[in-house]
Amino acid sequence: MGEISCSNDISSGNGVNGKSHSSLNGYRKSCWYEEEIEENLRWCFALNSILHTGASRYQDIALLDTKPFGKALVIDGKLQSAEVDEFIYHESLVHPAFLHHSSPKTVFIMGGGEGSTAREILRHKTVEKVVMCDIDEEVVNFCKAYLVVNREAFCDPRLEVIINDARAELESGKECYDVIIGDLADPIEGGPCYKLYTKSFYEHTVKPRLNQGGVFITQAGPAGIFSHTEVFSCIYNTLRQVFKYVVPYSAHIPSYADTWGWVMASDSPFMLSADEIDTRIKQRIKGENRYLDGKTFSSASTLSKAVRKSLDSETHVYTEGAARFIYGHGSVHKQNQTKLMRNGLMEEAPTKSTK
């Protein structure tokens, strides 16, 4: 659960915008964002300012200027991405699937309202059409307005943005795609996304919308040595019930305070070597990747002994009646906002809630 709090009753002119590093009785004067990762484990970091907050029908939204990670997007009290290291997540989500496909032209993104997934997809020269389907128009508009790094992607004529439930959109449409990407929020108890991680959804909605040789890729939650059994292992096992070839892989993301996982699936084998991946990167992708290349993917898909053993022995299949969830139910605590505005940490008043 995300919370923004101030220590030592910071007053205006004394620690404004987190610039003061002086201490009082051993405590630093600062404003902090805190997120509960597990029952007995919290992750927090200092803020320079709160750039924007708002709310939609579905979720709370905040854009924070953090000291260690730059601008950070927080939705329902859970960090979604941070300026300093979001490239790790988005390059890992997008490029393995696209590079293993022979010539990806059409793409469907489930979620992805931030725009970073579309940005990475549109770097691929073969891509002709990208459909980004996000349920929350407020999030999409928020990210268009405040995430400068993705403005070019939102303006690309190859991108079509649809505001709808991804499941409903796929089920009502007839078009098939070369790649379908699940850039969804984590499955949280009571949240809207957990049904998009189920066997029935993969089998009856996703797979029929893939062209021959198509690839499905989804983010799959925490994949650390202790956290991978929350949802990562059962998402992997669930996809094994639907597709012939399934590859789990992971990477450490500093702002998440954990290793993160993705699962790639297809009925066509994944056969590329590290050198072949590098060749395709040079041939197909505009610009240079900051994180992912052939050796990096080979390393990412070589999981530790403990995680491999756990995935091999996983028997749980993700269904609506037998769902697993990551810990917590995040929400941004607003009780501190008046104090933060008085202290100069909030640069503008919150937008009016649409709830």
Side-chain angles (χ1 to χ4, degrees):
M1 291 172 282
E3 182 173 358
I4 298 166
S5 60
C6 287
S7 61
N8 298 321
D9 255 352
I10 307 172
S11 60
S12 59
N14 189 7
V16 172
N17 293 326
K19 293 178 181 178
S20 172
H21 297 281
S22 60
S23 61
L24 181 64
N25 296 327
Y27 293 95
R28 283 180 296 173
K29 298 177 179 180
S30 190
C31 181
W32 293 78
Y33 170 77
E34 182 179 274
E35 185 170 317
E36 190 170 348
I37 298 174
E38 298 176 9
E39 185 175 1
N40 299 311
L41 179 62
R42 293 187 176 188
W43 170 236
C44 63
F45 40 83
L47 302 181
N48 290 315
S49 62
I50 298 172
L51 300 175
H52 191 80
T53 62
S56 72
R57 289 174 53 201
Y58 303 99
Q59 50 209 346
D60 293 327
I61 315 162
L63 185 64
L64 311 177
D65 182 8
T66 78
K67 290 189 176 182
F69 302 116
K71 293 179 182 177
L73 178 67
V74 177
I75 295 180
D76 272 351
K78 288 194 167 291
L79 180 73
Q80 302 299 307
S81 70
E83 185 177 25
V84 167
D85 61 7
E86 59 87 5
F87 68 94
I88 302 173
Y89 173 92
H90 291 104
E91 287 187 17
S92 297
L93 172 68
V94 169
H95 299 310
F98 280 74
L99 294 168
H100 280 88
H101 192 283
S102 59
S103 182
K105 293 181 173 63
T106 56
V107 189
F108 188 93
I109 307 171
M110 301 188 297
E114 176 187 348
S116 298
T117 296
R119 180 196 71 213
E120 292 300 317
I121 290 170
L122 292 165
R123 293 176 57 210
H124 283 260
K125 299 173 184 177
T126 61
V127 168
E128 298 174 355
K129 180 180 180 180
V130 181
V131 176
M132 185 181 85
C133 183
D134 198 290
I135 197 171
D136 199 331
E137 187 172 17
E138 292 288 329
V139 169
V140 174
N141 290 338
F142 181 97
C143 294
K144 280 183 180 180
Y146 291 96
L147 300 184
V148 178
V149 68
N150 295 331
R151 285 183 181 169
E152 185 176 342
F154 277 116
C155 294
D156 194 302
R158 292 173 293 171
L159 178 65
E160 178 184 358
V161 178
I162 296 176
I163 304 301
N164 196 6
D165 175 79
R167 182 174 193 163
E169 187 67 26
L170 285 171
E171 289 177 347
S172 64
K174 296 182 179 180
E175 186 173 357
C176 291
Y177 302 90
D178 295 322
V179 180
I180 296 177
I181 292 186
D183 185 17
L184 301 162
D186 300 315
I188 298 175
E189 191 167 8
C193 287
Y194 78 94
K195 294 180 181 180
L196 303 187
Y197 292 92
T198 61
K199 179 177 182 288
S200 62
F201 176 66
Y202 294 147
E203 187 172 26
H204 301 301
T205 303
V206 171
K207 192 171 181 178
R209 290 289 171 265
L210 283 173
N211 290 321
Q212 185 174 1
V215 181
F216 173 67
I217 180 75
T218 183
Q219 80 90 13
I225 193 73
F226 299 119
S227 60
H228 71 276
T229 55
E230 285 187 299
V231 294
F232 180 60
S233 59
C234 69
I235 291 173
Y236 164 70
N237 185 57
T238 302
L239 283 166
R240 285 201 301 176
Q241 315 305 308
V242 178
F243 292 93
K244 291 181 181 179
Y245 303 96
V246 181
V247 176
Y249 58 99
S250 63
H252 177 68
I253 301 180
S255 64
Y256 288 3
D258 204 350
T259 299
W260 213 253
W262 301 266
V263 183
M264 182 170 64
S266 179
D267 280 344
S268 298
F270 301 113
M271 303 290 288
L272 295 183
S273 67
D275 288 341
E276 288 170 327
I277 289 175
D278 286 338
T279 297
R280 287 193 173 184
I281 288 174
K282 292 178 181 178
Q283 292 172 342
R284 297 185 180 186
I285 299 179
K286 298 176 183 177
E288 186 175 353
N289 287 347
R290 296 175 63 188
Y291 179 76
L292 191 120
D293 63 4
K295 288 182 178 179
T296 302
F297 181 73
S298 295
S299 174
S301 57
T302 305
L303 304 175
S304 69
K305 178 182 177 181
V307 176
R308 292 199 313 272
K309 186 176 180 180
S310 182
L311 265 61
D312 288 343
S313 61
E314 179 65 78
T315 59
H316 189 92
V317 175
Y318 206 109
T319 66
E320 291 188 22
R324 286 185 182 175
F325 306 100
I326 68 165
Y327 179 81
H329 188 282
S331 63
V332 176
H333 292 249
K334 298 184 176 66
Q335 62 265 34
N336 291 311
Q337 288 185 355
T338 301
K339 180 167 65 175
L340 295 175
M341 289 177 68
R342 184 177 67 243
N343 294 336
L345 284 163
M346 184 174 288
E347 296 190 355
E348 59 180 270
T351 58
K352 184 178 180 181
S353 171
T354 57
K355 289 182 179 178

